[in-house]
Amino acid sequence: MLAAVVFSVVLVVSCVHAQDEPSPIVFTPTFGTLMGGDELVFTAPNITSSGGQVYCRFGEVDQVTVAGGVGPDGLTRCVTPVLYEIGRVPFQVSTDGGSSYSYGANFTAVLGRSGVTLVDGNSKWQRPIKSATSPLDLPAWRELIRGQLTMTWDRDSLDSAAVNVELWGYKEEGSVASWDFMYSVARQVPNTGSYTFSPESKPASEYHIGSIRVTAYTEQEGLTNIRALWSKVHALAWQLEESFYQDPVSWSTERCMAWREQEKEMPDFVPDMPPCPCTLEQALADTGRFQMDPGCSLSLGSTCTYHPGAVHCVRSVAASPDGAGQQCCYAADGRELFTGDTAGGSTPDRGHAFGAPPYRNPPRVPDFSHWLLDVVTFYYCCLWSDNCDVYFELRPTDDCSRYVPPKAGAVFGDPHVITLDGKSYTFNGKGEYTLLQTDDVSLQIQVRTAQVSNAQGDLVQTTACTSVAMREGVSDTVEVRLPRARESEVPQVLVNGEVFRFDTSVMTLSGLKVMSIVPSNVTVHFLSGVGVEVRSKGGVLTALVLVPPTLKGKTQGLLGRWNDNPDDDFTTPSGDTVPSTADQMTIYNDFGASWAITSQTSLFVYSAQEEATYADKHDPNFTPIVTPPALPAESAEGRKMAQICGENDQCVFDFTATRSEALAASTRWAHDWYQAVSKDTRKVATCPYVPTPEHGSKVGGPSYVENGTVTIACNEGFMSHPTHTVKCRADGTWDGVPGTCVASNANTAAVAGGVIAGVAVLCVVIGLLVWKMRDDKESTRSEDYKHDDKRESTQET
């Protein structure tokens, strides 16, 4: 009997009291594996239970209850269950047998890492017969499948002298998704942290993706909600039925074609996909709507197993209404890759790789719906057979023609602000302010500024950004702040007031995602498509905000009203507009100060000292430097300033106001960064896709954006007609007609035939004209004859 379980998650625990209890519950570890099975250990001084029994209840609608206990050491332990959802999940603890749950907490479930590593997983375990671009090599593949398989794990993670190794399979039937126990690979294996075995084919099974589970040897086979380590999900090529190994191409082709028929019965999700950015530069800059694909990323070495030829892929942050996700891949020269041109092209996914609310319903289950509907099917059609054309027909590349870039705004240095309409000004107030808000999606982005010191360490009448807090709707609240002690430039991240630790570079939270690949950089992706990039440099924070076109005309705050009219950017919360030509102090007092937040609207977390410092959200007693005194160009400081700042006005302002080389350099860098992002997010023209001609190919890396070219190369015996190379013009049209490949002798014959046919037609036309003239002449003569006969008849009468 198969034991069915559900999708599990990584847990980031943020604890609060459900009732007014004297002591909070503190959890460890804060992260678990992708599929649950981690032991949560927590303490609360007043948790006591007869027999040491407690119950832990997870979830709100579909609740899962697991039994736990209080050990001899006084610590309470519960094993995390498997769940279908990611994000914030209610968690409660009962100490009276489940009659009441007197302790409450909130934890956040996110996708994370595995506890079992499949050595050479892509090659030996999943056994591709070919790459997406290479031909079939059955002899080499048959040699590979005779080899042994090895898995490893941290032996200290399981307090057991021996372990059991099990295989679990995943399936979806209608609206139900399940993980099912399949069989034991081995039992009572010594816990050395490694196990090697020779796999055997199995009877035909409905499971083609699965995961390895390692448990203590004392655990019952197939039991759920127990301490366990799991591998990543993978294609089960190593244990499929014997017919797969005898004829993998036919076996896989049959399933590829069956999948194609199934797809015909499913809703067409492609039209609802968000459009791909047209260039790599746009994809990297649009951090609100797209995030890096860990499977193909520049920052992770561009190891693009499923997209050969690509150096970077991105995935849409938000899912479509059907729960699908977009994927866009790019070559080193920045052009988008099309599946019609290369096997490494961009492909949308019926199941979003990171899932979509409501997560419990297929195809919305995080990661596993994607594997079942989009990844193992790629194995069927492309890696185990030669039917990539079928896969690409059902997963076509978006041509980016619908893509509209976001707009950037920034705050940096002693704070200098560049609005979404490109208006630059300086607002060096001391306090906490609304950087951006939109009522449409209930977005709030707030900044905190603090007084800065000069090169000698003395406070000066300038400020800089030290913290950025943000929330959208009912999402988690994220605050990115400089450490209070300023002992490091690595910013601290708080989620709902608790210090947040990155276990993976991209963390999925409730209503948003947080990414940090470089410790000094933090990016927040909101579901609305707004992206906030916060970077620490020179002892201050820089915040760059990317706003999607759907929010145009709906923004307010220090970043202004985005409507392509910079003259109304200085609009206050009451609707009054300060003239864009106003002097700096008028802007400071009448506009900037008006966007001070209140204690009720604040998203920040306060220490006792900060609470006192920011009791007034805008310090009315602080008078900023408006026009710092100029430095003599030939002085030592003047030369240093010129070296650091060049012609950058914001950098010159900060250097002369503070004499801080670090702050000035940070300002120059931040302004350059903003300009680069603004350039990368400009709209580019696109031209229609050019299909690969029959009897030919496209060479040189076809590009369908402005100034891009497509070059046709025909096979031997064929020639391009009428055009060999076409170039994309600024108006979105090609400068010629893309060529097709025609047989060289046929083309010559066609031309000759055309000439002969033309001559023949001309002859016919001339003949007809001659005939017409003769006919007219004969008609005239006939009439004359009639008249002559008539005259003769009259004369006779």
Side-chain angles (χ1 to χ4, degrees):
M1 188 72 178
L2 296 178
V5 301
V6 294
F7 168 64
S8 60
V9 296
V10 173
L11 307 177
V12 181
V13 185
S14 172
C15 304
V16 298
H17 264 148
Q19 300 177 9
D20 187 18
E21 300 292 345
S23 301
I25 302 174
V26 179
F27 290 77
T28 183
T30 56
F31 292 87
T33 63
L34 176 65
M35 300 196 50
D38 286 275
E39 188 176 63
L40 291 184
V41 181
F42 52 97
T43 61
N46 58 343
I47 286 187
T48 59
S49 175
S50 59
Q53 183 73 58
V54 301
Y55 288 94
C56 299
R57 186 169 67 187
F58 296 81
E60 186 171 15
V61 178
D62 298 312
Q63 295 178 328
V64 180
T65 301
V66 297
V70 180
D73 55 4
L75 299 178
T76 305
R77 293 174 171 83
C78 281
V79 173
T80 59
V82 287
L83 299 169
Y84 277 110
E85 59 188 300
I86 57 177
R88 293 176 64 79
V89 180
F91 168 67
Q92 296 173 313
V93 178
S94 172
T95 60
D96 59 3
S99 297
S100 62
Y101 286 81
S102 54
Y103 294 89
N106 288 321
F107 67 83
T108 301
V110 299
L111 300 178
R113 298 181 297 191
S114 61
V116 176
T117 300
L118 307 180
V119 179
D120 295 326
N122 283 337
S123 57
K124 292 186 176 181
W125 286 80
Q126 301 188 111
R127 299 180 172 177
I129 304 172
K130 57 188 285 294
S131 73
T133 56
S134 68
L136 295 170
D137 190 353
L138 283 177
W141 183 78
R142 296 190 190 282
E143 184 67 27
L144 175 67
I145 64 174
R146 286 196 286 266
Q148 294 182 316
L149 299 178
T150 298
M151 67 185 78
T152 62
W153 63 90
D154 180 7
R155 58 178 298 180
D156 296 329
S157 295
L158 293 173
D159 185 16
S160 177
V163 297
N164 299 329
V165 180
E166 302 171 346
L167 176 64
W168 290 64
Y170 178 79
K171 68 178 180 180
E172 295 180 352
E173 294 181 340
S175 61
V176 178
S178 64
W179 276 98
D180 304 329
F181 171 74
M182 295 178 63
Y183 61 85
S184 289
V185 177
R187 297 191 63 80
Q188 299 189 28
V189 175
N191 184 14
T192 62
S194 176
Y195 177 63
T196 299
F197 70 105
S198 297
E200 299 178 356
S201 60
K202 298 291 180 181
S205 168
E206 60 185 319
Y207 304 99
H208 293 166
I209 63 172
S211 177
I212 292 288
R213 187 177 83 159
V214 178
T215 68
Y217 79 98
T218 54
E219 298 290 0
Q220 179 181 337
E221 185 178 63
L223 191 65
T224 63
N225 297 335
I226 60 174
R227 180 78 179 96
L229 304 175
W230 294 84
S231 75
K232 291 182 177 179
V233 65
H234 59 284
L236 298 181
W238 57 275
Q239 67 88 59
L240 293 175
E241 58 263 36
E242 184 62 29
S243 58
F244 171 71
Y245 303 105
Q246 294 301 319
D247 190 354
V249 176
S250 296
W251 186 95
S252 302
T253 297
E254 180 180 344
R255 278 149 187 79
C256 177
M257 300 308 168
W259 170 66
R260 180 170 64 177
E261 294 306 309
Q262 292 171 1
E263 283 281 317
K264 292 179 180 179
E265 302 300 320
M266 302 178 75
D268 184 8
F269 70 95
V270 174
D272 293 327
M273 287 290 90
C276 281
C278 295
T279 65
L280 175 59
E281 291 77 15
Q282 289 178 335
L284 292 171
D286 196 347
T287 53
R289 291 177 289 179
F290 293 91
Q291 66 181 89
M292 74 164 191
D293 182 348
C296 181
S297 170
L298 285 167
S299 59
L300 300 178
S302 295
T303 303
C304 305
T305 303
Y306 299 107
H307 294 276
V311 297
H312 191 78
C313 295
V314 294
R315 293 187 180 276
S316 57
V317 172
S320 73
D322 294 326
Q326 183 64 276
Q327 184 194 46
C328 316
C329 297
Y330 303 88
D333 59 7
R335 58 192 168 85
E336 185 188 5
L337 296 177
F338 286 69
T339 54
D341 301 331
T342 170
S346 313
T347 53
D349 302 314
R350 182 175 290 279
H352 195 294
F354 306 114
Y359 294 108
R360 297 175 178 273
N361 301 324
R364 299 172 177 274
V365 181
D367 195 28
F368 300 119
S369 287
H370 171 58
W371 259 93
L372 192 65
L373 300 172
D374 303 298
V375 180
V376 76
T377 50
F378 183 77
Y379 276 81
Y380 294 156
C381 300
C382 292
L383 301 185
W384 293 341
S385 73
D386 272 329
N387 296 290
C388 270
D389 57 324
V390 173
Y391 188 88
F392 295 148
E393 172 193 350
L394 299 172
R395 299 292 185 267
T397 299
D398 179 82
D399 66 1
C400 92
S401 59
R402 297 177 294 124
Y403 178 74
V404 180
K407 199 63 180 292
V411 57
F412 56 95
D414 172 21
H416 307 289
V417 183
I418 303 178
T419 70
L420 295 169
D421 281 334
K423 178 71 175 178
S424 296
Y425 68 99
T426 297
F427 174 65
N428 43 11
K430 180 183 177 183
E432 297 170 342
Y433 308 91
T434 296
L435 182 65
L436 183 72
Q437 72 177 32
T438 62
D439 295 335
D440 190 56
V441 293
S442 299
L443 172 71
Q444 280 280 338
I445 304 174
Q446 301 173 354
V447 293
R448 173 187 290 168
T449 63
Q451 203 166 351
V452 300
S453 303
N454 60 18
Q456 289 72 41
D458 300 322
L459 290 176
V460 293
Q461 296 303 104
T462 58
T463 60
C465 181
T466 59
S467 184
V468 182
M470 61 204 89
R471 182 177 64 200
E472 183 177 273
V474 295
S475 76
D476 288 332
T477 299
V478 176
E479 181 179 351
V480 183
R481 60 190 301 165
L482 290 175
R484 288 174 176 141
R486 303 292 179 91
E487 72 280 359
S488 169
E489 282 203 350
V490 176
Q492 187 181 58
V493 179
L494 283 72
V495 176
N496 302 320
E498 300 287 335
V499 176
F500 186 76
R501 181 171 65 90
F502 286 91
D503 193 52
T504 59
S505 58
V506 180
M507 306 292 283
T508 302
L509 306 179
S510 181
L512 54 87
K513 298 178 189 291
V514 185
M515 181 177 72
S516 182
I517 298 174
V518 179
S520 60
N521 301 348
V522 178
T523 301
V524 180
H525 312 265
F526 286 104
L527 294 182
S528 65
V530 172
V532 184
E533 296 198 48
V534 183
R535 298 188 180 183
S536 173
K537 190 177 182 66
V540 300
L541 294 181
T542 294
L544 189 144
V545 182
L546 281 302
V547 181
T550 52
L551 296 180
K552 187 173 183 178
K554 303 174 182 179
T555 65
Q556 300 178 77
L558 296 181
L559 290 183
R561 300 177 63 182
W562 178 25
N563 56 6
D564 297 331
N565 177 22
D567 289 339
D568 66 359
D569 279 353
F570 299 151
T571 300
T572 68
S574 63
D576 296 329
T577 300
V578 176
S580 61
T581 56
D583 62 82
Q584 185 171 330
M585 283 309 298
T586 300
I587 295 172
Y588 178 92
N589 290 315
D590 296 349
F591 171 66
S594 73
W595 283 106
I597 63 174
T598 66
S599 298
Q600 291 72 35
T601 61
S602 175
L603 302 178
F604 293 101
V605 176
Y606 299 90
S607 66
Q609 180 181 351
E610 289 169 337
E611 194 164 1
T613 301
Y614 294 100
D616 291 323
K617 300 306 180 183
H618 172 72
D619 188 346
N621 300 316
F622 180 78
T623 303
I625 295 176
V626 176
T627 306
L631 290 174
E634 297 305 318
S635 66
E637 287 186 324
R639 289 194 297 271
K640 174 58 71 175
M641 181 183 70
Q643 178 185 349
I644 296 173
C645 299
E647 301 297 324
N648 187 280
D649 293 337
Q650 291 93 338
C651 177
V652 170
F653 182 102
D654 290 357
F655 188 93
T656 55
T658 66
R659 301 298 199 274
S660 171
E661 296 180 14
L663 177 59
S666 171
T667 299
R668 171 70 181 273
W669 164 85
H671 188 261
D672 289 346
W673 176 36
Y674 164 81
Q675 288 185 315
V677 170
S678 297
K679 178 182 177 182
D680 291 341
T681 53
R682 68 179 180 86
K683 177 71 175 176
V684 298
T686 61
C687 286
Y689 177 75
V690 177
T692 300
E694 188 179 4
H695 307 301
S697 61
K698 287 175 280 186
V699 296
S703 174
Y704 305 95
V705 299
E706 184 178 346
N707 294 322
T709 60
V710 173
T711 298
I712 302 299
C714 296
N715 300 338
E716 184 177 354
F718 293 83
M719 61 182 296
S720 180
H721 178 77
T723 308
H724 176 65
T725 298
V726 290
K727 185 176 182 179
C728 183
R729 295 184 292 209
D731 62 357
T733 62
W734 296 106
D735 65 354
V737 179
T740 58
C741 294
V742 297
S744 300
N745 55 350
N747 187 57
T748 302
V751 173
V755 173
I756 294 173
V759 172
V761 170
L762 182 61
C763 291
V764 171
V765 171
I766 294 173
L768 289 172
L769 289 173
V770 171
W771 178 85
K772 184 68 168 58
M773 293 172 63
R774 293 182 61 189
D775 184 65
D776 290 344
K777 187 174 181 180
E778 290 296 326
S779 297
T780 302
R781 293 176 62 187
S782 177
E783 290 297 322
D784 291 341
Y785 291 148
K786 290 179 181 179
H787 289 304
D788 290 344
D789 291 343
K790 193 172 183 179
R791 285 194 298 268
E792 290 175 0
S793 177
T794 302
Q795 290 172 359
E796 289 177 358
T797 301

